[in-house]
Amino acid sequence: MEPSTDMNEFRYLLRTSKNIVAVAGAGLSAASGIPTFRGSGGMWRKYNAVELATPEGFSDNPSLVWQFYHYRREVALKAAPNNAHRALSLFSLPSIRNQIAPSSTFTLVTQNVDGLSPRSDKEISEIYPEALDQPQQVQPRLIEMHGRLFDVLCTDENCRHIEFNTKSPICESLAGTEILVEKNTLDPDIDIQSLPRCSQCGSLARPGVVWFDEVPHHMDVIDNIIEQADLCIVVGTSSTVYPAAGYADIVQDNGGNVAVFNLERSQNDENADFLFLGPCEETLLDAFSLVVSQDGKLAVQGSSISN
């Protein structure tokens, strides 16, 4: 049976759900100008994931990998959260969420490493400071399971220092190489000594994201949240990278419901209970009964909380 596209029916389900989890992928950030990695025109169609997103690929050619991640850092630094990020951030605040899904918990588990979801959380918290005075749930509002693009990790096993670094460019040798990435002409010959180094021991550093064949962060916490969830909201992901691709199935197997918000059809979405196609920066606002005010801020329809 095809998934339902009835938004009113979904809003009723949302209102009666108690343990809600959202699993987000690259499509969440598409409206912010962050390239997606699958689907039509995805970046993995242009670049070899084994060469650019595995420990072995970095070991073989750190210059190539750092150019690619420098490009992604520069794109992310210029980007801003869009209304899909803001909708999820607003929904994560208990006093706001109680107007939409009373007495519920919520966690966003994002596969994205661009930092836009935490930036959105900060932005929304500044708009609604009174919402932070409300009791907070025990589980986290946001989990970045694949790490952060701006984390820099030492490759020396005896050090493994990690730090958050938004410097642009991260080192002088990478300045301007983002143009080469755009042209698909990466330069493999940058001297390894000129690539980013650990600030503690001076060893070669690598991007601090989770690569293929590496274990995502906070798996115990995520597994517990997924096991308890009675509603899984899938946002902007093709559901091909595990373990995240299997979360919706786990929720359904446990008797919960799944709602997919994607720009286009993707793998396994025919198994969802609800499917809403279109820009998630629009469909999520509709799903959460949010409106955009004249000054561009979001608010719950009929909310008594001022923004």
Side-chain angles (χ1 to χ4, degrees):
M1 186 172 65
E2 281 290 301
S4 172
T5 58
D6 188 327
M7 189 63 83
N8 286 328
E9 184 182 355
F10 172 74
R11 291 196 200 101
Y12 176 78
L13 173 66
L14 184 65
R15 185 164 187 83
T16 57
S17 297
K18 296 304 177 186
N19 297 300
I20 305 165
V21 62
V23 180
L28 175 62
S29 297
S32 298
I34 305 292
T36 58
F37 285 85
R38 290 177 178 80
S40 57
M43 289 191 76
W44 290 134
R45 294 177 181 269
K46 291 177 61 179
Y47 300 105
N48 187 328
V50 175
E51 293 181 0
L52 299 173
T54 65
E56 295 78 15
F58 183 77
S59 178
D60 290 343
N61 199 332
S63 171
L64 199 68
V65 173
W66 260 119
Q67 286 173 76
F68 182 66
Y69 280 88
H70 164 70
Y71 163 75
R72 294 183 64 188
R73 286 167 58 93
E74 293 300 301
V75 171
L77 283 171
K78 294 179 175 66
N82 63 61
N83 277 342
H85 295 108
R86 298 185 186 102
L88 291 165
S89 293
L90 198 60
F91 189 71
S92 75
L93 296 176
S95 61
I96 304 297
R97 188 174 61 258
N98 280 337
Q99 301 174 56
I100 306 166
S103 303
S104 62
T105 65
F106 174 73
T107 296
L108 168 60
V109 178
T110 183
Q111 301 170 81
N112 297 336
V113 296
D114 52 40
L116 293 181
S117 287
R119 283 167 58 186
S120 175
D121 281 356
K122 183 174 184 294
E123 175 187 304
I124 289 297
S125 296
E126 290 173 351
I127 295 172
Y128 289 93
E130 67 279 12
L132 296 179
D133 295 333
Q134 303 294 322
Q136 299 296 304
Q137 63 187 29
V138 175
Q139 69 194 55
R141 293 168 58 189
L142 170 67
I143 298 176
E144 295 170 284
M145 67 180 298
H146 288 166
R148 303 186 297 184
L149 193 57
F150 299 102
D151 279 343
V152 181
L153 173 64
C154 180
T155 59
D156 188 325
E157 292 295 334
N158 295 317
C159 178
R160 303 299 286 177
H161 175 70
I162 189 168
E163 65 182 31
F164 189 73
N165 181 328
T166 58
K167 183 180 178 182
S168 172
I170 187 172
C171 66
E172 289 305 316
S173 67
L174 293 172
T177 60
E178 64 271 21
I179 299 172
L180 299 179
V181 178
E182 291 281 7
K183 295 180 178 179
N184 199 20
T185 56
L186 299 184
D187 179 3
D189 296 326
I190 296 176
D191 184 356
I192 193 172
Q193 297 301 321
S194 300
L195 294 174
R197 317 299 294 185
C198 174
S199 64
Q200 297 298 304
C201 73
S203 298
L204 178 66
R206 55 160 278 187
V209 301
V210 175
W211 282 331
F212 294 104
D213 299 327
E214 294 182 327
V215 179
H217 300 315
H218 314 297
M219 287 303 300
D220 289 346
V221 176
I222 295 172
D223 288 346
N224 183 62
I225 290 170
I226 295 297
E227 285 293 335
Q228 299 299 318
D230 56 5
L231 174 60
C232 180
I233 300 173
V234 178
V235 182
T237 175
S238 57
S239 296
T240 56
V241 177
Y242 285 83
Y247 290 156
D249 290 340
I250 295 172
V251 172
Q252 280 189 324
D253 289 346
N254 289 340
N257 292 278
V258 172
V260 174
F261 292 78
N262 264 338
L263 186 60
E264 56 191 19
R265 293 296 296 253
S266 62
Q267 180 175 318
N268 295 329
D269 60 18
E270 70 273 8
N271 297 324
D273 300 286
F274 293 88
L275 175 62
F276 301 105
L277 298 180
C280 58
E281 66 274 14
E282 298 175 6
T283 55
L284 278 180
L285 264 63
D286 193 14
F288 292 157
S289 302
L290 300 176
V291 293
V292 183
S293 61
Q294 289 185 343
D295 57 4
K297 297 176 182 177
L298 300 185
V300 181
Q301 288 179 332
S303 173
S304 61
I305 296 182
S306 170
N307 68 342

